[in-house]
Amino acid sequence: MAGGRSLLTILVFLAIAELGASKRYNTTAGIVAGKINVHLVPHTHDDVGWLKTVDQYYIGSNNTIQEAGVQYILDSILMYLTSNPDRKFVYVEQAFFQRWWREQTEEVQSVVKELIHSGRLELINGGWCMHDEAATHYIDMIEQTTLGHKYIKEQFGVTPRIGWQIDPFGHSAVQAYLLGAELGFDALFFARIDYQDRRQRYKDKSLEVIWQGSNTLGSDAQVFTSIFPVHYGPPDGHGLAYEESDEIPVQDDPLLFDYNVKERVDAFVAAAQSQANITRTNHIMWTMGNDFKYALAGKWFVQMDKFIHYVNLDGRVNALYSTPSMYLDAKHAADETWPLKTDDFFPYADDGKSFWTGYFTSRAAFKGYVREVSGFFQAARQLEFLAGRKKDGPNTDSLWDALSISQHHDGVSGTEKQHVTNDYAKRLAIGAAESDLVVKSALKALTSSSEENFVKVTFKHDIFSLERLLILQCPLLNVSFCPLTEHAKKNLVVTAYNPLGWQREDYVRIPVNEEGLVVKDASGKAVPSQLVPVSDATKRTRSYYVRANLGVAPGTPPSYWLYFKAAVPPLGVSTYYVSIGSADTATVSKFESSNGSSSIAAGFDTKLTFSSKTGHLTRISNGKSGAETPVQQSYYWYAGYAGSGQHSGAYIFLPDGQTATPVASEVSLKIVRGPLVEEVHQEVAPWIYQIFRLYKDVGHAEVEFVVGPIPVDDGIGKEVITRFTTGIPSEGVFYSDSNGRDFIKRVRDFRSDWKLEVTQPVAGNYYPVNLGVYLTDKKTDFSILVDRSVGAGSISDGQLEVMLHRRLLVDDGRGVGEALDEVVCLPQRNSSNCEGLTVQGISYINVNPVAKAARWRRYEGQKKLFPLQLYFGTTDGENKINGFTPFASGYALPENVGLITLQALDNGDALLRLAHLYEADEDEDLSKTVTVDLSKLFPGRKIKSATELSLSANQEKSNIKPLKWTIAKAGITRKSPRGAALDASKMEVELGCMEIRTIQIHFEDNKLEENAAGAATLRVA
């Protein structure tokens, strides 16, 4: 075991190794002026799950899939670093490093600390994983980076300065300016860019650029960016990679055959000169490592020792052990003029048939689960702070760990093996279960509730037999499964927590069986409500997936969804009571037919019109703003190419032909009407069902879809899209978000950095989407918001298409070794009762004048990202549950500010992140500097001090000193001023457009653990 090895044993081993190697080779070289300096950067790339699970990779098990054991890699690196003080190494993935660190003795930890503080071992990037940049939301990217940086700071007192995103499949603008410059990184390094882009950059010597990723922040948030010439291993074709079958070691013993010093030096020099011809300055960097290398670290280090020694004796170039930081400093000292890069590096292709745009949607159900858990995590952590984080007992840390691991570029991306996806989901479920206990405890304390307020509830399945049930979450609520709401006939309590810093009103729906129900608020006032029939499609999904997930039959499905509008204060709780009544009961709605009319309209302020002949949507109109457009919506599928050569698969989107096949030219249509909700149900095919849903006083329409199991009996893998064809003359342009933050202009068949040779008109025009997409003609906007990461494009003018689900029958040859053919099985003994995965989700569509469109996208986007968290219980009817909000009476955050983090730190302080939600010039009123009064966020506690930190909270913001660079052409001028420095006397935080401010708050009554009495200082609503 790694931790059991004594320091003395290590040193003895290294002393022996020293006699055989270090005495013979001079590895002390530094930078030499006037020569090509080859910076040898030893590294290993350790996927936090891909072909094996994260723990299997760490332990070194399941090696029939892949030979890899990270604990042995780290052991081996330590041995060989210690034997030669000139050697260096960089390490990235803290999910692995921290597993290894906690196993080490104090002696070994002391050695590691010395290596880090001397610069011989550099922790770069520093996140829990190397996150994806397409399928991740910026808040999750921040969180996983913060987790890794937290441990690095606590254990070693250092702050990483290098971004190292060497393997993600394309690179986002948010990564550059937010997870780069705003994080305090001085540089960003990566490997994967489009093959045509790389070819042009060879010619222009523009593999290294100054990247300005934000149109709002411009040069104020730029980062030096270095793109590797080929990949993240040593130069190809020279036998410089070790632990490989084609390695060519330096054989320098003249007493043995195959002496090859001159040949190896010549190969080294040739590779260096070749790279120098496409690189500015006389400094080049070689990444000496690859996936899970250095289990045999001696192979690498001994060969690098020899190369440094013999190459420097040769004298044509200079070789040295280095790190990315040393390389960056050399580049900066050269005072070179650098090319400018704006926008992003999507989409990525490695040849004309291989666009890595399929993974934008791959494993759509898992992507949806990650997004759902992310919203719950933020709510749970807020409540953990508000009620007082406990020293012992359940906390939110395990969910933080699981959510951070899932952001890996072979995690939420959907490019891992199925058993690894299962492992990610299991970790999320375990973490969510523990955080659920935190939430229940917090709600009990904050609402001053006691278990005596709740009656015993017993269900017929043993797993639901709960004594003195306080509150229950219903994870399968989306498929109408919530036993408590289905079986409770009186005194049902619905508790809603609002994670937003704004007052909100949202419609809530819960499955019930009874008519004659009345909903009342905490004051006893009746709330308008409506019963809507549960669709047969939902009942089918419920029946299968409850059995698949819980192992029990779900029983008789509920008859209705009960809808009502909940009003919840910022960061607050509201409670509603459902019981049988005789007055103010819920309106009962039934399915209606179209009655043969030529068109059918449904809705309130937002109206949808459908053709009674085809059943398809034909128009959307916004009654409040007056905006409208013709719009036709249909489902299509692309056949995944499975012939000779490249295939469509988990990574690659390669349609067999450029035309999608319509699922149905006509669809059946049923209508539900009522005072609160109107719905149009469409059975598009036996495997596709959708519901257009409109609410009273809501300015958009929901489109709920159920897709699957995708039929493959014909031997054709299918990639399913929904396509909206509008009347907006978009002229080849649409807009998509970057990790849920900025919106980027996309132009069909165009790249800003080179003249695109179009090889894939569909796949080459797909982009990652985490928040939404929209079309505009400068007068009218048509927008779609999504509930998870997806791929989308505008293949024809006026069109938007979103890929919802993929099921493919062959692997695409990019390493995962599995077809993307997801199935779900019922837990039946001696049976393989399985079917293809069904994906259920919701999109949101809206038409607005241009001046109002951004406000809708930003406001609704926050609401979808941070949904109401619903908990259910029953009461005897005598005692009521208090609502609460922590904010000062009547106070809410400004509409253009989002609260994205509220966390209780281990020392009792609070970590607060506030984000300005708007880009410059995005909205006439809201794209402005805004001020937040911290004292009104915590009126019940006295703030002693507040300190602004970096984005990952690992250093004071004032310590960040960006490097200055000379750029070949004018960059982006900052369009909005930054907020003023934190005013400690006024406790006010000012935010400019697109700014995120991270504040550590220290309270006078700083306590790690608050009790219910302490929590009662919160204002009762």
Coordinates of all heavy atoms in Angstrom, one line a residue, residues 503-561:
Q503 N -37.7 37.2 -5.5 CA -39.1 36.7 -5.3 C -39.5 36.1 -6.6 O -39.2 36.6 -7.7 CB -40.0 37.9 -4.9 CG -41.5 37.5 -5.0 CD -42.0 36.9 -3.7 OE1 -41.4 37.0 -2.7 NE2 -43.2 36.2 -3.8
R504 N -40.2 34.9 -6.5 CA -40.6 34.3 -7.7 C -42.0 33.7 -7.6 O -42.4 33.4 -6.5 CB -39.6 33.1 -8.1 CG -39.8 31.9 -7.2 CD -38.6 30.9 -7.4 NE -38.5 30.3 -8.7 CZ -37.5 29.5 -9.0 NH1 -36.5 29.3 -8.2 NH2 -37.4 29.0 -10.2
E505 N -42.7 33.6 -8.7 CA -43.9 32.9 -8.8 C -43.8 31.9 -9.9 O -43.6 32.2 -11.0 CB -45.1 33.9 -9.1 CG -45.4 34.9 -7.9 CD -46.6 35.7 -8.2 OE1 -47.1 35.7 -9.4 OE2 -47.1 36.4 -7.3
D506 N -44.0 30.6 -9.5 CA -43.9 29.5 -10.4 C -45.0 28.6 -10.2 O -45.6 28.4 -9.1 CB -42.6 28.7 -10.2 CG -41.4 29.3 -10.8 OD1 -41.5 30.4 -11.5 OD2 -40.3 28.7 -10.7
Y507 N -45.4 28.0 -11.3 CA -46.5 26.9 -11.3 C -45.8 25.6 -10.8 O -44.8 25.2 -11.2 CB -47.1 26.7 -12.6 CG -48.1 27.8 -12.9 CD1 -47.8 28.9 -13.6 CD2 -49.5 27.7 -12.5 CE1 -48.7 29.9 -13.9 CE2 -50.4 28.6 -12.7 CZ -50.0 29.8 -13.4 OH -50.9 30.8 -13.7
V508 N -46.5 25.0 -9.8 CA -46.2 23.7 -9.3 C -47.2 22.7 -9.7 O -48.4 23.0 -9.8 CB -46.1 23.8 -7.7 CG1 -46.0 22.4 -7.1 CG2 -45.0 24.7 -7.2
R509 N -46.7 21.5 -10.0 CA -47.6 20.4 -10.3 C -47.2 19.2 -9.6 O -46.0 18.8 -9.4 CB -47.6 20.1 -11.9 CG -46.4 19.5 -12.4 CD -46.6 19.1 -13.9 NE -45.5 18.3 -14.4 CZ -45.5 17.7 -15.6 NH1 -46.6 17.7 -16.3 NH2 -44.4 17.1 -16.0
I510 N -48.2 18.5 -9.1 CA -48.0 17.3 -8.3 C -49.1 16.2 -8.7 O -50.2 16.6 -9.0 CB -48.1 17.5 -6.8 CG1 -49.4 18.1 -6.4 CG2 -47.0 18.4 -6.3 CD1 -49.6 18.3 -4.9
P511 N -48.7 15.0 -8.7 CA -49.7 13.9 -9.1 C -50.6 13.6 -8.0 O -50.3 13.5 -6.8 CB -48.8 12.7 -9.4 CG -47.6 12.9 -8.5 CD -47.4 14.4 -8.4
V512 N -51.9 13.5 -8.3 CA -53.0 13.2 -7.3 C -54.0 12.3 -7.9 O -54.1 12.1 -9.2 CB -53.7 14.5 -6.8 CG1 -52.7 15.4 -6.1 CG2 -54.3 15.3 -8.0
N513 N -54.9 11.8 -7.1 CA -55.9 10.9 -7.6 C -57.3 11.4 -7.3 O -58.3 11.0 -7.9 CB -55.8 9.5 -6.9 CG -54.9 8.6 -7.7 OD1 -55.1 8.3 -8.8 ND2 -53.8 8.2 -7.0
E514 N -57.4 12.4 -6.4 CA -58.7 12.9 -6.0 C -59.1 14.1 -6.7 O -58.3 15.0 -7.1 CB -58.7 13.2 -4.5 CG -58.2 12.1 -3.6 CD -59.2 10.9 -3.6 OE1 -60.4 11.2 -3.7 OE2 -58.8 9.8 -3.4
E515 N -60.4 14.2 -7.0 CA -61.0 15.5 -7.4 C -61.5 16.2 -6.1 O -61.4 15.6 -5.0 CB -62.2 15.3 -8.3 CG -61.7 14.7 -9.7 CD -62.9 14.5 -10.7 OE1 -64.0 15.0 -10.4 OE2 -62.6 13.9 -11.7
G516 N -62.0 17.4 -6.2 CA -62.5 18.1 -5.0 C -61.4 18.6 -4.1 O -61.6 18.8 -2.9
L517 N -60.2 18.8 -4.7 CA -59.1 19.3 -3.8 C -59.1 20.8 -3.8 O -59.4 21.5 -4.8 CB -57.8 18.8 -4.4 CG -57.5 17.2 -4.4 CD1 -56.2 16.9 -5.1 CD2 -57.5 16.7 -2.9
V518 N -58.7 21.3 -2.7 CA -58.5 22.7 -2.5 C -57.0 23.0 -2.0 O -56.5 22.2 -1.2 CB -59.5 23.4 -1.5 CG1 -59.4 22.7 -0.1 CG2 -59.3 24.9 -1.5
V519 N -56.4 24.0 -2.6 CA -55.1 24.4 -2.2 C -55.2 25.7 -1.4 O -55.8 26.7 -1.8 CB -54.2 24.6 -3.4 CG1 -52.8 25.0 -3.0 CG2 -54.1 23.3 -4.3
K520 N -54.5 25.8 -0.3 CA -54.5 27.0 0.5 C -53.0 27.4 0.9 O -52.1 26.5 1.0 CB -55.2 26.8 1.8 CG -56.7 26.6 1.6 CD -57.5 26.5 2.9 CE -59.0 26.3 2.6 NZ -59.8 26.1 3.9
D521 N -52.8 28.7 1.0 CA -51.5 29.1 1.4 C -51.3 29.1 2.9 O -52.3 28.7 3.6 CB -51.1 30.5 0.8 CG -52.1 31.6 1.3 OD1 -52.7 31.4 2.3 OD2 -52.1 32.7 0.6
A522 N -50.2 29.6 3.4 CA -50.0 29.5 4.9 C -50.9 30.3 5.7 O -51.2 30.0 6.9 CB -48.5 29.9 5.2
S523 N -51.6 31.3 5.1 CA -52.5 32.1 5.8 C -53.9 31.6 5.8 O -54.8 32.1 6.4 CB -52.6 33.5 5.2 OG -53.1 33.5 3.9
G524 N -54.1 30.5 5.0 CA -55.4 29.8 4.9 C -56.2 30.3 3.7 O -57.3 29.9 3.5
K525 N -55.6 31.2 2.9 CA -56.3 31.7 1.7 C -56.3 30.7 0.6 O -55.2 30.1 0.3 CB -55.7 33.0 1.3 CG -56.4 33.6 0.1 CD -55.7 34.9 -0.3 CE -56.3 35.5 -1.6 NZ -55.6 36.8 -2.0
A526 N -57.4 30.4 0.0 CA -57.5 29.5 -1.1 C -56.7 30.0 -2.3 O -56.7 31.2 -2.7 CB -58.9 29.2 -1.6
V527 N -56.0 29.1 -3.0 CA -55.1 29.4 -4.1 C -55.8 28.8 -5.4 O -56.1 27.6 -5.3 CB -53.7 28.9 -3.9 CG1 -52.9 29.2 -5.2 CG2 -53.1 29.6 -2.7
P528 N -56.0 29.5 -6.4 CA -56.6 28.9 -7.6 C -55.7 27.7 -8.1 O -54.5 27.7 -8.0 CB -56.5 30.0 -8.7 CG -56.5 31.3 -7.9 CD -55.7 30.9 -6.6
S529 N -56.4 26.6 -8.5 CA -55.8 25.4 -8.9 C -56.5 24.7 -10.0 O -57.7 25.0 -10.2 CB -55.6 24.4 -7.6 OG -56.9 24.2 -7.0
Q530 N -55.9 23.7 -10.6 CA -56.5 23.1 -11.7 C -56.0 21.6 -11.8 O -54.8 21.4 -11.5 CB -56.1 23.8 -13.0 CG -56.7 23.2 -14.3 CD -56.3 24.0 -15.5 OE1 -55.9 25.1 -15.4 NE2 -56.4 23.4 -16.7
L531 N -56.9 20.7 -12.2 CA -56.5 19.3 -12.4 C -56.5 19.0 -13.9 O -57.4 19.3 -14.6 CB -57.6 18.4 -11.7 CG -57.6 18.4 -10.2 CD1 -58.8 17.7 -9.6 CD2 -56.3 17.8 -9.6
V532 N -55.3 18.5 -14.3 CA -55.1 18.1 -15.7 C -54.8 16.6 -15.8 O -54.0 16.1 -15.0 CB -53.9 18.9 -16.2 CG1 -53.5 18.5 -17.6 CG2 -54.2 20.4 -16.2
P533 N -55.5 15.9 -16.7 CA -55.3 14.5 -16.8 C -53.8 14.1 -17.1 O -53.2 14.8 -17.9 CB -56.2 14.0 -17.9 CG -56.5 15.3 -18.7 CD -56.5 16.4 -17.7
V534 N -53.3 13.0 -16.5 CA -52.0 12.5 -16.8 C -52.1 11.8 -18.1 O -53.0 10.9 -18.3 CB -51.5 11.6 -15.6 CG1 -50.2 11.0 -16.0 CG2 -51.4 12.4 -14.3
S535 N -51.1 12.0 -19.0 CA -51.1 11.4 -20.3 C -50.8 9.9 -20.2 O -50.1 9.4 -19.3 CB -50.1 12.1 -21.2 OG -48.8 11.8 -20.8
D536 N -51.2 9.2 -21.2 CA -50.9 7.7 -21.3 C -49.4 7.5 -21.4 O -48.8 6.6 -20.9 CB -51.6 7.1 -22.4 CG -53.1 6.9 -22.2 OD1 -53.5 7.0 -21.0 OD2 -53.9 6.8 -23.2
A537 N -48.7 8.5 -22.1 CA -47.3 8.4 -22.3 C -46.6 8.5 -21.0 O -45.6 7.7 -20.7 CB -46.8 9.4 -23.3
T538 N -47.0 9.4 -20.1 CA -46.4 9.5 -18.8 C -46.7 8.3 -18.0 O -45.8 7.8 -17.3 CB -47.0 10.8 -18.1 OG1 -46.6 11.9 -18.8 CG2 -46.4 10.9 -16.7
K539 N -47.8 7.7 -18.1 CA -48.2 6.5 -17.3 C -47.3 5.3 -17.8 O -46.8 4.5 -17.0 CB -49.6 6.1 -17.5 CG -50.6 7.1 -16.9 CD -52.0 6.8 -17.1 CE -53.0 7.8 -16.5 NZ -54.4 7.5 -16.8
R540 N -47.0 5.2 -19.1 CA -46.1 4.2 -19.6 C -44.7 4.4 -19.1 O -44.1 3.4 -18.6 CB -46.1 4.2 -21.1 CG -47.4 3.6 -21.7 CD -47.2 3.3 -23.2 NE -46.8 4.5 -24.0 CZ -47.7 5.3 -24.6 NH1 -49.0 5.1 -24.5 NH2 -47.3 6.3 -25.3
T541 N -44.2 5.6 -19.1 CA -42.9 5.9 -18.7 C -42.8 5.6 -17.2 O -41.8 5.0 -16.7 CB -42.5 7.3 -18.9 OG1 -42.7 7.6 -20.3 CG2 -41.1 7.6 -18.6
R542 N -43.8 6.0 -16.4 CA -43.8 5.7 -15.0 C -43.8 4.3 -14.7 O -43.0 3.8 -13.8 CB -45.1 6.3 -14.4 CG -45.5 5.9 -13.0 CD -46.9 6.2 -12.7 NE -47.4 5.5 -11.5 CZ -47.6 6.1 -10.3 NH1 -47.2 7.3 -10.1 NH2 -48.1 5.3 -9.3
S543 N -44.6 3.5 -15.4 CA -44.6 2.1 -15.1 C -43.3 1.4 -15.3 O -42.9 0.6 -14.4 CB -45.7 1.4 -16.0 OG -45.7 0.0 -15.8
Y544 N -42.6 1.7 -16.3 CA -41.3 1.1 -16.6 C -40.2 1.6 -15.7 O -39.4 0.8 -15.2 CB -41.0 1.2 -18.1 CG -39.9 0.3 -18.6 CD1 -40.2 -0.9 -19.1 CD2 -38.5 0.7 -18.5 CE1 -39.2 -1.8 -19.5 CE2 -37.5 -0.2 -18.9 CZ -37.8 -1.4 -19.4 OH -36.8 -2.3 -19.8
Y545 N -40.1 2.9 -15.6 CA -38.9 3.5 -15.0 C -39.0 3.4 -13.4 O -37.9 3.4 -12.8 CB -38.7 4.9 -15.5 CG -37.9 4.8 -16.8 CD1 -38.6 4.6 -18.0 CD2 -36.6 4.9 -16.9 CE1 -38.0 4.5 -19.2 CE2 -35.9 4.8 -18.0 CZ -36.6 4.6 -19.2 OH -35.9 4.4 -20.4
V546 N -40.2 3.4 -12.9 CA -40.2 3.1 -11.4 C -39.7 1.7 -11.1 O -38.9 1.5 -10.2 CB -41.6 3.4 -10.9 CG1 -41.7 2.9 -9.4 CG2 -42.0 4.8 -11.0
R547 N -40.2 0.8 -11.9 CA -39.7 -0.6 -11.7 C -38.2 -0.7 -12.0 O -37.5 -1.4 -11.2 CB -40.4 -1.6 -12.6 CG -41.9 -1.8 -12.2 CD -42.6 -2.8 -13.1 NE -42.8 -2.3 -14.4 CZ -43.0 -3.0 -15.5 NH1 -43.0 -4.4 -15.4 NH2 -43.2 -2.5 -16.7
A548 N -37.7 0.0 -13.0 CA -36.3 -0.1 -13.3 C -35.4 0.6 -12.3 O -34.3 0.1 -12.0 CB -36.0 0.5 -14.7
N549 N -35.9 1.7 -11.7 CA -35.1 2.4 -10.8 C -35.2 2.0 -9.3 O -34.3 2.0 -8.5 CB -35.4 3.9 -10.8 CG -34.8 4.6 -12.1 OD1 -33.6 4.9 -12.1 ND2 -35.6 4.8 -13.1
L550 N -36.4 1.6 -8.9 CA -36.7 1.2 -7.5 C -36.9 -0.3 -7.3 O -36.9 -0.7 -6.2 CB -37.9 2.0 -7.0 CG -37.8 3.5 -7.1 CD1 -39.1 4.2 -6.6 CD2 -36.6 4.0 -6.3
G551 N -37.2 -1.0 -8.4 CA -37.3 -2.5 -8.2 C -38.7 -2.9 -7.7 O -38.9 -4.0 -7.3
V552 N -39.7 -1.9 -7.7 CA -41.0 -2.3 -7.3 C -42.0 -1.8 -8.3 O -41.7 -0.8 -9.1 CB -41.3 -1.6 -5.9 CG1 -40.4 -2.2 -4.9 CG2 -41.2 -0.1 -6.0
A553 N -43.2 -2.4 -8.4 CA -44.2 -1.9 -9.2 C -44.8 -0.6 -8.6 O -45.0 -0.5 -7.4 CB -45.3 -3.0 -9.4
P554 N -45.1 0.4 -9.5 CA -45.5 1.7 -8.9 C -47.0 1.7 -8.5 O -47.4 2.7 -7.9 CB -45.2 2.6 -10.1 CG -45.4 1.8 -11.3 CD -44.9 0.4 -10.9
G555 N -47.7 0.7 -8.8 CA -49.1 0.7 -8.4 C -49.9 1.5 -9.5 O -49.4 1.9 -10.5
T556 N -51.2 1.7 -9.1 CA -52.1 2.4 -10.1 C -51.6 3.9 -10.3 O -51.3 4.6 -9.3 CB -53.5 2.5 -9.5 OG1 -53.9 1.1 -9.2 CG2 -54.5 3.1 -10.5
P557 N -51.5 4.3 -11.5 CA -51.0 5.6 -11.8 C -52.0 6.7 -11.3 O -53.2 6.4 -11.3 CB -50.8 5.7 -13.3 CG -51.7 4.6 -13.8 CD -51.8 3.6 -12.8
P558 N -51.5 7.9 -11.0 CA -52.5 8.9 -10.6 C -53.3 9.4 -11.8 O -53.0 9.2 -13.0 CB -51.5 10.1 -10.2 CG -50.3 9.8 -11.0 CD -50.1 8.3 -11.1
S559 N -54.5 9.9 -11.5 CA -55.4 10.4 -12.5 C -55.1 11.8 -13.0 O -55.3 12.1 -14.2 CB -56.8 10.4 -12.0 OG -57.2 9.1 -11.5
Y560 N -54.5 12.6 -12.2 CA -54.4 14.0 -12.5 C -53.0 14.6 -12.1 O -52.4 14.1 -11.1 CB -55.4 14.9 -11.8 CG -56.9 14.5 -12.2 CD1 -57.7 13.8 -11.3 CD2 -57.4 14.9 -13.4 CE1 -59.0 13.5 -11.6 CE2 -58.7 14.6 -13.7 CZ -59.5 13.9 -12.8 OH -60.8 13.6 -13.1
W561 N -52.6 15.7 -12.7 CA -51.7 16.6 -12.2 C -52.4 17.8 -11.6 O -53.3 18.3 -12.2 CB -50.8 17.2 -13.3 CG -49.8 16.3 -14.0 CD1 -49.9 15.7 -15.2 CD2 -48.6 15.8 -13.4 NE1 -48.8 14.9 -15.5 CE2 -48.0 15.0 -14.4 CE3 -47.9 16.0 -12.2 CZ2 -46.7 14.4 -14.2 CZ3 -46.7 15.4 -12.0 CH2 -46.1 14.6 -13.0

